[in-house]
């Protein structure tokens, strides 16, 4: 028994995939400009951003690919379809950001103690302005996305914008004061900021992969609401998890209070489905039992 009405949602061309594609190509071309610029200007802060953006490109490419794949329906290999693949991309994405941040720290921390060399501050300011416009455009293109993937990417594109704003401010300050140690300091702050956000979303997505109860589903509340329905004696084997952070699944066994006719059973089933839907469940699997039936999943 399934709630089938929401299964046909992803058949039209996926706008999320188009949005991610545009942002991917934009990011890739800019990351190359950035790496050249960072090396030319000898700026660790810009190289930190460049390395980060390069990691983003790989992550975006994965996300773009998996977003397309995640629209695929069930087949002989994956009975739930490919929704979870977008989650996998989000996890790889998070790992790349954490790894990239560690790399930046390893390269940058020693620079804090070495004698700072003079930097081409007008060049840094110019590149920061370019970075701000490119990333600002990418954020604008991705706004309104709702998949876990798009949220992760939007989040770190926003970080990129703020990162560039910091580089712009730092570059301006170095231009005025010649405090060139600001450059590695900025790079380190950017790396810490990136990795703390990435770790947070990584834990969230790992929770979904490990079939944690979705944060939008309150199982105790749902159980209480079910027990208030007239024909229900008890419920058990209540399990809930999320396929991708949006699409929530629920299984349960319902023991009927008295023997119901087929049409009464159908009515009860429809009530349970409607109730589950108001509690954030999109895919419900339900089993009816009688009171004198021994169920081996009573406490599972
Ligand atoms: Zn189904
Ligand atoms: Zn049972
Ligand atoms: Zn169970």
């Amino acid at each position: 028994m399934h709630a089938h009405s929401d299964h046909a949602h992803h058949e039209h061309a996926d706008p999320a995939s188009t949005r991610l594609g545009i942002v991917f190509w934009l990011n890739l071309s800019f990351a190359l400009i950035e790496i050249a610029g960072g090396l030319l200007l000898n700026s660790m802060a810009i190289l930190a951003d460049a390395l980060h953006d390069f990691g983003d490109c790989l992550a975006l490419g994965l996300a773009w690919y998996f977003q397309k794949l995640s629209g695929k329906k069930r087949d002989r290999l994956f009975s739930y379809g490919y929704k979870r693949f977008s989650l996998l991309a989000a996890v790889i994405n998070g790992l790349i950001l954490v790894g990239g941040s560690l790399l930046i720290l390893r390269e940058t921390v020693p620079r804090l103690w070495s004698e700072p060399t003079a930097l081409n501050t007008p060049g840094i300011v110019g590149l920061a302005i370019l970075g701000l416009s490119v990333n600002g455009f990418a954020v604008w293109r991705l706004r309104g996305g709702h998949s876990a993937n798009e949220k992760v990417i939007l989040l770190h594109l926003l970080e990129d914008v703020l990162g560039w704003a910091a580089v712009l401010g730092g570059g301006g300050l170095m231009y005025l004061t010649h405090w060139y140690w600001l450059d590695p300091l900025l790079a380190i702050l950017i790396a810490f900021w990136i990795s703390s956000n990435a770790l947070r979303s990584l834990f969230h997505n790992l929770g979904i992969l490990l079939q944690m109860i979705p944060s939008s589903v309150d199982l105790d509340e749902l159980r209480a609401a079910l027990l208030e329905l007239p024909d229900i004696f008890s419920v058990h084997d209540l399990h809930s998890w999320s396929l991708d952070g949006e699409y929530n699944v629920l299984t349960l066994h319902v023991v009927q209070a008295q023997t119901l006719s087929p049409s009464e059973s159908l009515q009860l089933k429809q009530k349970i489905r409607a109730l589950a839907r108001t509690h954030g469940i999109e895919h419900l699997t339900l089993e009816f039992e009688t009171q004198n039936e021994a169920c081996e999943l009573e406490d599972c």
Side-chain angles (χ1 to χ4, degrees):
M1 301 173 199
H2 292 107
H4 274 286
S5 56
D6 274 4
H7 281 199
H9 255 4
H10 292 281
E11 275 174 350
H12 46 84
D14 189 357
S17 166
T18 314
R19 282 197 295 269
L20 290 175
I22 291 168
V23 173
F24 171 74
W25 291 115
L26 199 64
N27 233 272
L28 185 63
S29 19
F30 187 63
L32 294 173
I33 296 173
E34 235 178 318
I35 288 175
L39 289 173
L40 222 63
L41 299 167
N42 190 31
S43 162
M44 224 31 229
I46 285 186
L47 275 178
D49 260 348
L51 185 65
H52 168 77
D53 271 5
F54 212 70
D56 281 0
C57 284
L58 182 60
L60 273 166
L62 284 170
W64 185 26
Y65 172 73
F66 282 120
Q67 186 80 46
K68 272 195 229 168
L69 192 65
S70 70
K72 269 180 76 179
K73 315 295 277 180
R74 63 175 300 152
D75 59 17
R76 291 166 61 96
L77 289 175
F78 293 94
S79 70
Y80 274 110
Y82 286 73
K83 285 193 172 62
R84 281 226 149 169
F85 281 72
S86 80
L87 197 61
L88 187 63
V91 168
I92 296 173
N93 204 320
L95 288 174
I96 287 171
L97 287 182
V98 172
S101 305
L102 291 176
L103 211 62
I104 291 166
L105 288 177
R106 204 189 66 182
E107 294 301 314
T108 310
V109 169
R111 285 206 178 199
L112 278 181
W113 290 283
S114 57
E115 191 59 37
T117 48
L119 295 169
N120 178 348
T121 45
I124 292 175
V125 168
L127 207 56
I129 289 172
L130 188 64
L132 265 180
S133 354
V134 171
N135 275 299
F137 178 73
V139 168
W140 178 72
R141 280 309 309 232
L142 264 188
R143 82 205 183 287
H146 294 296
S147 71
N149 235 335
E150 280 185 296
K151 277 184 202 157
V152 168
I153 287 161
L154 187 61
L155 176 81
H156 74 240
L157 282 176
L158 265 172
E159 289 168 21
D160 291 357
V161 167
L162 293 171
W164 279 116
V167 172
L168 180 61
L173 204 59
M174 284 190 288
Y175 176 73
L176 296 173
T177 61
H178 302 286
W179 292 342
Y180 295 118
W181 48 265
L182 275 174
D183 185 71
L185 186 67
L186 260 178
I188 289 168
L189 290 177
I190 291 169
F192 269 118
W193 188 25
I194 292 164
S195 55
S196 70
N197 282 325
L199 279 173
R200 209 174 34 221
S201 82
L202 200 56
F203 284 131
H204 172 75
N205 289 313
L206 283 176
I208 299 171
L209 273 181
L210 295 173
Q211 293 189 303
M212 202 167 83
I213 298 169
S215 54
S216 56
V217 174
D218 187 333
L219 274 192
D220 292 331
E221 205 184 283
L222 178 58
R223 180 194 296 272
L226 283 167
L227 290 175
E228 273 173 25
L229 291 179
D231 293 322
I232 294 183
F233 176 72
S234 65
V235 297
H236 59 267
D237 200 33
L238 203 58
H239 296 287
S240 183
W241 67 97
S242 182
L243 286 189
D244 60 358
E246 293 178 85
Y247 188 87
N248 300 334
V249 179
L250 178 82
T251 71
L252 83 155
H253 292 192
V254 169
V255 181
Q256 295 177 350
Q258 65 275 331
T259 311
L260 298 178
S261 72
S263 73
E264 286 169 332
S265 254
L266 183 64
Q267 272 182 8
L268 179 57
K269 203 199 300 178
Q270 281 162 349
K271 277 184 204 155
I272 293 171
R273 258 186 209 155
L275 192 62
R277 186 145 296 163
T278 63
H279 282 75
I281 303 298
E282 295 196 59
H283 191 290
L284 170 69
T285 305
L286 165 65
E287 192 171 315
F288 276 145
E289 287 170 22
T290 58
Q291 284 183 57
N292 47 19
E293 179 177 339
C295 176
E296 59 192 15
L297 299 177
E298 201 84 62
D299 190 24
C300 155

